[in-house]
Amino acid sequence: MKIFQEFLRKKNLHIYIYNIIEKRVRENKKLENNMKKFLRFSVCLVFVLAVCFTSGCKSPSGSSGSGDSYPTYNVSWYEAIMYCNKRSLQEHLTPCYKIKMANNTSAYSTDPDDWGTIPNSSGDSRWNGVICDFMADGYRLLTEAEWEYAARGGTILSTDQYSGTNDISEVKKYAWYDFNSNGVSHEIKTRLPNALYLYDMTGNVDEWCWDWYDTITTSTPSTGVPEPNMNQRVLRGGHFAYSATRVNHRSFSGPAGFDPCTGFRVCRSAQ
């Protein structure tokens, strides 16, 4: 944890956090005085509900939770970045991600219609060569550093081991995990939020981050390792079928992987 906190301390991390009713706040000094004013209506950093109102899939349905108020799940990392760009284009924003075109691998495109079929293997070199423009104003996945900053309530100095609390006996009030979930995901905004009024940063479903999974040091770029040792993307937060997960816990999966325990949130870079 100390290494990651030092890593965060060296980065000037400011992100726009979006919730499902499109309220936004900037994580900066001004937020301290008006945080509650802006965030009291917040549902969460978008666990993208019905991920695919722009990308073709349906709202969550199945034994792990069903309905538009549930976090989306069974979504791969590849699907998550496709969603981000499709939503950005729909809202006339500049997409963050570009991938080499399926029919012209010497040219990049930000339009997912040019990317071809979503890979069913995590070793797809063209999709794994995706480039993120962090200066673009479109939607994107949080970096791992941004995710932990948000989970800690907007401060790197927080001693909370879980998002919203440092008391294991209180976690059940803030998170859905194996102790209280009955083995399924739950509607968002049904547990307590953390200090940034963000919900489910611990538990409910795991969340894809932008970063490749690798060892973190104080010299790691704020956007993660550029050349990973293993072909896995970072997951954060824990899920309903797992024990209470600390905010510094790191997990991973191949970018083509998906399961009922995995979803994602999106953000936009502060301008």
Side-chain angles (χ1 to χ4, degrees):
M1 183 176 73
K2 289 183 179 180
I3 291 178
F4 200 86
Q5 286 183 316
E6 178 62 23
F7 165 68
L8 287 170
R9 187 175 291 110
K10 290 188 176 183
K11 315 301 177 183
N12 184 21
L13 298 175
H14 298 288
I15 59 174
Y16 270 124
I17 300 174
Y18 273 69
N19 58 40
I20 66 170
I21 55 176
E22 307 308 324
K23 296 291 182 182
R24 65 183 181 182
V25 294
R26 178 172 289 174
E27 293 177 346
N28 57 23
K29 292 182 179 179
K30 292 181 181 179
L31 181 60
E32 294 178 8
N33 295 326
N34 59 14
M35 185 189 303
K36 290 185 179 180
K37 176 181 176 182
F38 282 96
L39 286 174
R40 60 187 174 184
F41 304 111
S42 176
V43 175
C44 64
L45 273 177
V46 179
F47 264 131
V48 179
L49 306 176
V51 70
C52 310
F53 74 92
T54 54
S55 57
C57 47
K58 299 178 181 179
S59 62
S61 63
S63 59
S64 294
S66 178
D68 290 345
S69 294
Y70 283 80
T72 194
Y73 53 85
N74 280 332
V75 179
S76 72
W77 189 90
Y78 294 140
E79 289 176 306
I81 63 169
M82 180 187 70
Y83 167 85
C84 289
N85 272 30
K86 287 204 170 191
R87 181 170 180 178
S88 297
L89 289 169
Q90 186 184 64
E91 298 183 16
H92 307 291
L93 302 170
T94 303
C96 294
Y97 300 119
K98 61 181 180 180
I99 291 177
K100 288 184 177 179
M101 299 170 64
N103 60 359
N104 181 3
T105 56
S106 63
Y108 283 88
S109 174
T110 58
D111 187 347
D113 289 343
D114 296 328
W115 295 353
T117 304
I118 296 174
N120 55 19
S121 168
S122 295
D124 190 287
S125 59
R126 187 167 58 84
W127 280 67
N128 287 344
V130 58
I131 296 173
C132 181
D133 178 3
F134 289 94
M135 299 303 294
D137 65 355
Y139 293 94
R140 61 177 175 82
L141 298 177
L142 281 74
T143 66
E144 189 175 11
E146 289 168 338
W147 188 96
E148 184 162 331
Y149 184 81
R152 289 183 179 278
T155 172
I156 60 175
L157 301 177
S158 170
T159 58
D160 286 354
Q161 297 185 62
Y162 312 95
S163 189
T165 183
N166 195 39
D167 186 347
I168 184 61
S169 68
E170 294 290 305
V171 174
K172 60 182 179 292
K173 298 179 181 179
Y174 292 84
W176 293 112
Y177 61 110
D178 62 353
F179 175 79
N180 63 355
S181 71
N182 292 318
V184 295
S185 66
H186 289 260
E187 292 179 298
I188 61 172
K189 204 180 178 182
T190 52
R191 300 286 89 180
L192 294 176
N194 70 4
L196 280 178
Y197 277 62
L198 301 175
Y199 295 80
D200 297 321
M201 296 296 285
T202 293
N204 217 359
V205 296
D206 264 322
E207 300 168 25
W208 288 114
C209 291
W210 158 255
D211 307 46
W212 289 107
Y213 183 85
D214 210 331
T215 301
I216 290 177
T217 69
T218 55
S219 62
T220 301
S222 61
T223 54
V225 294
E227 296 182 4
N229 292 321
M230 53 192 297
N231 188 31
Q232 310 283 345
R233 293 283 182 173
V234 170
L235 288 166
R236 284 296 201 120
H239 55 78
F240 61 82
Y242 197 69
S243 58
T245 302
R246 296 183 180 185
V247 291
N248 65 338
H249 177 77
R250 309 174 68 222
S251 186
F252 57 87
S253 181
F258 59 90
D259 58 54
C261 300
T262 301
F264 66 103
R265 301 176 188 249
V266 297
C267 69
R268 288 177 60 194
S269 295
Q271 302 300 308

